[in-house]
Amino acid sequence: MRLQQPAIYAMLRTFSNVKSCSVSPYFRLTLLATCVAWALGSTGTAQAKPPPPSASDWIRCDADELMREILPLDPKAPPPAQAPIQVEADRVESSPNQSLLEGDVKLNRGAQRLRAERMTLDRSTNRARIESPFVYGDNRQALRGKQAEVDLNAETGWFREVDYYLPERGAQGSADEIRLDRNRRQSHLGDATYSTCARGREAWELRAHKLTLDSVSGRGTGRDLVFALWGVPVLYLPYLSFPLNDDRQSGFLFPRVGSTSATGLDVALPYYWNIAPNQDMTITPRAMSKRGPLAGLEYRFLSPRNRTQIGLEYMPDDRHFGGDRGSFNIFDRAAPLPNLYTDLRYEYVSDDRYLQDLSNNLDFLTANYLERHLEARYFGDWWQALARVQGYQILNPALFSLSGRPYQRMPQLLFAGDWPAGPGGVSYQLHGELVNFRQTDVVTGARLDVWPTVGWTLERPGGYIKPQAGFRYTGYQLDDTAPGADDAPSRAAPTASVDGGLMFERPLQARWLGVGDGGIQTLEPRLFYLYVPYRNQDDIPIFDSSLMDRDHDWLFRRNRFTGADRLGDANQLTAAVTTRVIDGASGRERLRASIGQIQYFEDRRVTLNPADPPETAANSGLIAQGQLNLSSRWALQGGVQLEPDNSDVLRTAFDVRYYANSRQLVNVSYLIDRDQPGFDLGDQIHSADVSLLWPLNSQWRVLARWNQALNLSRNLETLAGLEYEDCCWALRAVARQYRNTPAATDAQTAFYMELELKGLSRLGTGLEALLQNSILGYQTFRN
């Protein structure tokens, strides 16, 4: 029979007439289901830090047999307390002391459903009892048990032989016994298990003789826990405390284990301390068989207007290095006032090789210097200002032997304004800088640089023209100059430019590059004229200027030097053209190709070094670059720069990328760069880089990288590994030979292994940073 409101309330009154009971009729019938759901639905994973919010990108196991009990989420459905109750049963018997429902008993309310063959209610004690198998399901979990007893007055329950399934995490498990106290919000589980593997085929499983879940404190405790792999116990923990929610909780994290030729066996055991909701600290003792112990600490602070991170490491005695070593860093970003932002960065290591020898960072290249700065930025409507002090710790002195060590800025004041064009199309810009450069044993001093400009813009659908004129003044007040040298040099020069372009487009009738009807091809010629008169700048020192790297955008720069110590003289015209092919259906750019060249009308007399001769080439040489998207998976891009005099290749780069998904990809790149002043072996970079992640079948993947400096006949990195992924676990093993810098003669070797337990954690050395830096497009799993 089927009972619906309002008839259901008459039935509930028949079940119990106890006037002193304050339990609602809804609670009497559904306490069994909601108690079990509360007991199991809030359990967390056994780790100190909260799990990431989603595991939707896993390769998931087949749905559990309890999945059919999961009800679809209906966003329009009312809350369970407001939903109507529906009860079905083949037979209903009622007496003054007991009420009995038998035969396919079904209870439904909103997104909750309970099924059993027999349910009884003792009216004298107000206890509900189920002695036949029962099944409960909602949109978050499904439960199946064999016996249950619920005290409706005390809001306690006892459940036996319960299986559960949590679809959001793909987790399943069982418990021989559950005792629940809903008033205290506690549950006690006996002989419970947890796994994200398929039921009955658990590659890994957590087993606990006793589990206590306390939702008031947000903590769970377990005693006599066993971690098993393929049914074989591999780890025993007499006691474990873990979180039940997404709040951060103190506790040990999983250890990190690895081995390299620099450290030997490397083991770290981090401890996470949740100091406060907005503060935490990770304390990491670390032991290296070749070097000795190291202690690390990381502190984090977060507020609505401030974010701080402090790191500290100390090694009392590095047996391989000989002596104590350490590092310190602090990062702080704050917004103390509206539109005002501050940024503090300070990094220190005890010696130049510290990061190469001991850093946990698995990036390919080690930093050549560490930066320290404190800056404040203010953003107005059309302008911004910056105040900064900045310095460096040099870790690779040989790199700066030719150009010199970078100067400290003590301090630097910057202003940049760009006001939009008014009704007449006239716009204004202003750049200003005042900086004091400090360094030892060289010329130092203060520099003022001011560059106001005014521009006019005329834009139409088929083209535009943008003339601009400005005046740049740079003045110095120098210290420690050579005898007789000017200690207050200055430079002043007008600048003028005209930028103009046209745009033509045509529809594509035939299918080309995957673009069918509705696609278009554009042709965009562009001219850019620049004039800057020559000013002698030989008496001005070089504080922060260098030649700009040349690419297609360089053709349209207003100064060929970075910084303000050099203003390049120019009487030149850039001619360039770009074409694009655009898919009309998706709007996606299938092809973009550009080619351009600067034609010089005068020699360039301004150089970085006064002893260098002027540049006399009549043109810059052709610069071309392009990108071709053959499909959603295949992409090609490349560029070439030619010598201005003989049209020999000065620089070329070529990249091919195949990307089916984050688990199937190939990257191939090739680079020649002969425009590297100061480099030996022909002043060039000549390298090849190949990386791939490729499936051998549905579960095995091979991953590799080969990065070779061809001109040096030197391997920069060779990496090879295998990755196995099952629905609930994954294993990666990687061997690596690498050099910290291209100039390093000795290569280092390392071996990494990582076991991923989906829904729990990772065991081993974190490979994510290494593989993401080595293999473009690589993504690891999420726990």
Side-chain angles (χ1 to χ4, degrees), residues 604-768:
R604 279 77 60 215
R605 301 165 61 188
V606 177
T607 58
L608 283 174
N609 188 341
D612 292 340
E615 297 182 20
T616 59
N619 60 70
S620 64
L622 284 174
I623 298 178
Q625 65 183 40
Q627 180 171 338
L628 175 61
N629 299 307
L630 292 173
S631 66
S632 60
R633 297 186 176 188
W634 282 98
L636 292 83
Q637 62 180 8
V640 62
Q641 298 180 23
L642 302 182
E643 290 275 10
D645 296 328
N646 52 25
S647 296
D648 288 344
V649 173
L650 180 66
R651 177 185 297 174
T652 183
F654 183 72
D655 298 293
V656 180
R657 186 182 186 197
Y658 174 84
Y659 185 87
N661 51 62
S662 60
R663 295 173 174 86
Q664 184 176 353
L665 55 92
V666 177
N667 303 297
V668 179
S669 64
Y670 178 79
L671 172 66
I672 293 179
D673 189 353
R674 296 188 173 95
D675 190 21
Q676 293 292 325
F679 271 53
D680 294 331
L681 298 178
D683 294 343
Q684 67 174 351
I685 294 177
H686 187 190
S687 67
D689 194 341
V690 181
S691 62
L692 64 88
L693 175 62
W694 199 261
L696 302 177
N697 55 35
S698 60
Q699 293 180 307
W700 285 95
R701 283 180 294 277
V702 60
L703 48 90
R705 185 193 188 191
W706 176 70
N707 187 9
Q708 180 82 1
L710 301 176
N711 58 313
L712 301 174
S713 298
R714 184 169 296 168
N715 171 53
L716 302 181
E717 182 183 29
T718 297
L719 180 149
L722 284 174
E723 185 175 82
Y724 176 86
E725 183 186 7
D726 194 45
C727 63
C728 63
W729 66 279
L731 179 68
R732 304 179 194 91
V734 174
R736 182 181 180 225
Q737 185 185 69
Y738 63 99
R739 286 177 169 83
N740 287 306
T741 66
T745 56
D746 297 329
Q748 299 188 44
T749 59
F751 180 77
Y752 312 94
M753 181 174 289
E754 183 177 77
L755 176 63
E756 178 99 7
L757 305 177
K758 300 182 182 180
L760 189 62
S761 187
R762 297 179 190 147
L763 304 175
T765 302
L767 278 170
E768 182 174 359

Side-chain angles (χ1 to χ4, degrees), residues 247-250 272-281 299-302:
D247 296 337
R248 299 191 307 272
Q249 304 285 345
S250 300
Y272 179 78
W273 178 18
N274 181 36
I275 302 173
N278 65 332
Q279 300 180 65
D280 62 19
M281 181 183 295
Y299 169 79
R300 299 188 303 176
F301 173 84
L302 181 65

Side-chain angles (χ1 to χ4, degrees), residues 233-289:
V234 296
L235 178 66
Y236 170 77
L237 295 174
Y239 176 82
L240 179 67
S241 177
F242 54 90
L244 299 179
N245 49 39
D246 285 347
D247 296 337
R248 299 191 307 272
Q249 304 285 345
S250 300
F252 281 100
L253 306 180
F254 277 93
R256 298 194 304 265
V257 182
S259 177
T260 70
S261 58
T263 64
L265 180 63
D266 191 344
V267 181
L269 182 61
Y271 179 83
Y272 179 78
W273 178 18
N274 181 36
I275 302 173
N278 65 332
Q279 300 180 65
D280 62 19
M281 181 183 295
T282 303
I283 303 168
T284 308
R286 181 181 173 194
M288 292 161 279
S289 62

Side-chain angles (χ1 to χ4, degrees), residues 214 272 322 352 388 434 439 468 547 573 628 689:
D214 190 337
Y272 179 78
D352 294 350
R388 172 167 59 192
L434 177 62
Q439 187 56 276
Q468 186 182 80
L547 281 170
L573 177 66
L628 175 61
D689 194 341

Side-chain angles (χ1 to χ4, degrees), residues 11-81:
M11 180 178 180
L12 294 171
R13 284 193 294 271
T14 305
F15 282 170
S16 177
N17 247 344
V18 182
K19 295 182 179 180
S20 62
C21 181
S22 61
V23 181
S24 67
Y26 161 70
F27 184 74
R28 291 172 185 167
L29 286 176
T30 60
L31 178 62
L32 167 66
T34 54
C35 284
V36 179
W38 174 79
L40 292 175
S42 62
T43 57
T45 57
Q47 56 183 10
K49 288 189 178 180
S54 173
S56 59
D57 56 349
W58 297 349
I59 295 177
R60 305 292 288 270
C61 297
D62 293 337
D64 191 79
E65 57 194 29
L66 288 176
M67 183 64 189
R68 60 178 178 269
E69 305 297 335
I70 302 296
L71 300 181
L73 179 63
D74 184 2
K76 298 181 180 179

Side-chain angles (χ1 to χ4, degrees), residues 90-141:
D90 293 341
R91 294 175 302 279
V92 177
E93 297 180 6
S94 182
S95 68
N97 296 323
Q98 182 174 282
S99 298
L100 174 65
L101 284 79
E102 288 184 308
D104 197 19
V105 181
K106 296 179 181 179
L107 174 80
N108 295 277
R109 183 164 193 178
Q112 296 176 321
R113 179 173 61 192
L114 173 65
R115 296 188 292 111
E117 283 299 314
R118 181 185 176 93
M119 183 186 302
T120 62
L121 180 70
D122 190 328
R123 295 177 62 195
S124 60
T125 60
N126 212 28
R127 297 174 72 91
R129 185 169 59 253
I130 295 179
E131 296 181 351
S132 63
F134 68 87
V135 178
Y136 168 80
D138 59 27
N139 52 43
R140 296 184 60 189
Q141 61 260 314

